[in-house]
Amino acid sequence: MELATNCSALTNLPSSMYRFAVLLVALVASGSLTEALQTNACSNGAPHASRVEISGCTQMPCDLVRGSDVGMELDFVAPFAAESLRYTVVATALGITAPYELPPDRANACNWLTGTACPISQGEDITSTLSMPVLPIYPLVTLVIQVSVVDGQDRPLTCFSVNARVVVA
């Protein structure tokens, strides 16, 4: 009964206030829902990450702004136990494939786990973040970036590939 009274009170608002209330609810709901990015599987045959979010990117190609850091968050299930984890990144542009060297603190994926810590167990649900610098000297090119999480023996636990382009702000 109380809900019905409150709902009728809402619909009795002046139409401009009612539209504003509906818009406000829609904006809050859309801001709290984060859409995962559809990424590609990797050529190395590693298990694909179950969820990938890249800041400012909802569909490929993702724009990587020169002079900024690109934040990524990924979820995966550990296919085996691992004592340590490391990010490896490979970029392909203009037909050339080369490793993308991350600063050591960012490459150590154990530093960026959420809700768990290294060592990890087989079957464990893992959430990890990565902040990748896009240096101001990078050329304005289209590229494919492959991000892997590997253990101390370079065995891949998960991987994803994303189409991107380097742009100016």
Side-chain angles (χ1 to χ4, degrees):
M1 200 63 119
E2 185 177 321
L3 180 60
T5 304
N6 288 339
C7 287
S8 67
L10 186 61
T11 57
N12 289 332
L13 289 173
S15 66
S16 62
M17 285 185 74
Y18 180 74
R19 283 191 297 245
F20 176 75
V22 170
L23 177 64
L24 184 61
V25 168
L27 285 174
V28 169
S30 69
S32 64
L33 297 174
T34 306
E35 188 175 326
L37 178 65
Q38 293 293 324
T39 59
N40 299 318
C42 292
S43 58
N44 64 6
H48 192 253
S50 55
R51 182 185 64 88
V52 176
E53 291 179 15
I54 299 177
S55 59
C57 183
T58 56
Q59 70 180 37
M60 294 192 281
C62 294
D63 287 342
L64 310 178
V65 179
R66 275 186 184 169
S68 69
D69 280 1
V70 176
M72 300 180 189
E73 183 175 273
L74 62 142
D75 293 341
F76 64 96
V77 176
F80 51 85
E83 294 293 316
S84 64
L85 300 174
R86 181 174 45 87
Y87 285 112
T88 61
V89 181
V90 175
T92 303
L94 305 172
I96 300 169
T97 300
Y100 176 95
E101 295 299 327
L102 291 168
D105 64 316
R106 295 186 191 193
N108 183 350
C110 291
N111 292 343
W112 308 106
L113 299 178
T114 302
T116 191
C118 288
I120 62 166
S121 304
Q122 180 177 358
E124 187 173 352
D125 291 324
I126 305 294
T127 298
S128 184
T129 58
L130 170 62
S131 179
M132 235 175 53
V134 183
L135 300 179
I137 62 168
Y138 288 168
L140 302 176
V141 295
T142 300
L143 66 158
V144 175
I145 300 171
Q146 181 174 291
V147 178
S148 298
V149 178
V150 299
D151 71 353
Q153 299 160 2
D154 287 333
R155 297 180 302 168
L157 285 92
T158 193
C159 186
F160 69 90
S161 176
V162 63
N163 300 332
R165 58 187 173 206
V166 179
V167 298
V168 293

